[in-house]
Amino acid sequence: DARVTQTPRHKVTEMGQEVTMRCQPILGHNTVFWYRQTMMQGLELLAYFRNRAPLDDSGMPKDRFSAEMPDATLATLKIQPSEPRDSAVYFCASGSGIPLYNEQFFGPGTRLTVL
Amino acid sequence: AQSVAQPEDQVNVAEGNPLTVKCTYSVSGNPYLFWYVQYPNRGLQFLLKYITGDNLVKGSYGFEAEFNKSQTSFHLKKPSALVSDSALYFCAVRDGGSQGNLIFGKGTKLSVKP
């Protein structure tokens, strides 16, 4: 049963610290998405990769957030320095084929709390 | 610009009754529409999608959705609700002219009481 995995599942950190979240997309999937979910804003797209190349990161605060895909099996989202307003659940999702038509498969999320 | 609206924050239904979760959309090109469900402390799970063809789409767990182009709607339905259907439901849309990004609605909390 292929699944998207995310680590860590929970992270509590102090303001100013660096946070790294990792995602392993489903093997063979060529698109990876990072979303942030909060009660106030709902689901927001942060970044979108296709074949490891960033296609859209317009939803990401550039001064503190960065997203990369070092290889096809790993996507990372970093926040440096973290702030309390970054507290949210961060989801990674992957997909294959034609992105327009196909569904995304979501990981379980990383719940981030910045004190 | 593409957008999707879920007008109800919460829908309450008695078990065994039919349920409807509403969704309307706005796109400049052809709409590609999706429904996802999120159970507590879990990621989103795909339920069904409309790309083209028959306006009535059947999906997982007995859910279906009807695409209505004139009303720009894509309501989620189920003939007989189960308590286990209680969850957060998201409608999402892609614009045919976009990179493929999904735009999600705010979500509707479905509560099914025994």
Side-chain angles (χ1 to χ4, degrees):
Chain A
D1 187 20
R3 297 186 183 192
V4 175
T5 58
Q6 290 186 249
T7 57
R9 292 294 312 278
H10 303 272
K11 177 73 174 179
V12 179
T13 191
E14 294 189 346
M15 182 173 62
Q17 296 299 303
E18 177 178 305
V19 175
T20 298
M21 291 169 270
R22 294 176 174 81
C23 167
Q24 183 172 11
I26 293 173
L27 190 64
H29 282 190
N30 65 339
T31 55
V32 173
F33 304 82
W34 283 104
Y35 292 92
R36 176 170 61 185
Q37 186 178 37
T38 61
M39 289 292 291
M40 294 299 295
Q41 299 297 326
L43 267 169
E44 303 172 278
L45 178 68
L46 297 176
Y48 166 28
F49 290 79
R50 187 186 303 167
N51 297 324
R52 295 177 56 200
L55 283 191
D56 185 354
D57 60 1
S58 59
M60 205 163 62
K62 302 291 192 305
D63 57 338
R64 299 183 300 108
F65 284 60
S66 63
E68 295 180 344
M69 279 202 73
D71 61 60
T73 64
L74 177 64
T76 62
L77 180 67
K78 292 186 180 181
I79 308 174
Q80 169 62 20
S82 57
E83 298 181 1
R85 60 180 167 151
D86 300 329
S87 297
V89 181
Y90 291 81
F91 289 104
C92 174
S94 71
S96 65
I98 303 173
L100 274 179
Y101 306 151
N102 292 337
E103 60 270 27
Q104 297 174 15
F105 294 81
F106 282 74
T110 294
R111 183 175 295 275
L112 175 64
T113 302
V114 183
L115 304 174
Chain B
Q2 52 188 340
S3 65
V4 62
Q6 294 180 243
E8 302 154 317
D9 290 336
Q10 181 154 346
V11 170
N12 298 312
V13 178
E15 187 175 31
N17 284 1
L19 68 87
T20 298
V21 183
K22 296 179 180 177
C23 171
T24 59
Y25 66 90
S26 174
V27 298
S28 55
N30 292 323
Y32 301 98
L33 296 153
F34 299 76
W35 276 102
Y36 286 80
V37 60
Q38 184 180 28
Y39 297 101
N41 300 312
R42 304 282 293 275
L44 278 69
Q45 296 177 35
F46 168 75
L47 274 181
L48 51 79
K49 65 183 176 183
Y50 172 82
I51 303 300
T52 187
D54 195 346
N55 290 343
L56 185 63
V57 179
K58 294 190 182 298
S60 307
Y61 313 121
F63 284 93
E64 58 189 28
E66 186 168 10
F67 171 64
N68 188 316
K69 188 173 183 178
S70 62
Q71 297 186 4
T72 62
S73 67
F74 189 56
H75 301 331
L76 182 70
K77 300 181 180 184
K78 187 173 183 180
S80 179
L82 299 172
V83 172
S84 56
D85 293 329
S86 298
L88 191 56
Y89 290 80
F90 291 93
C91 182
V93 65
R94 281 197 185 110
D95 188 322
S98 75
Q99 294 267 29
N101 301 344
L102 266 179
I103 303 298
F104 284 89
K106 292 287 188 184
T108 298
K109 183 178 180 181
L110 174 66
S111 179
V112 182
K113 293 290 175 23

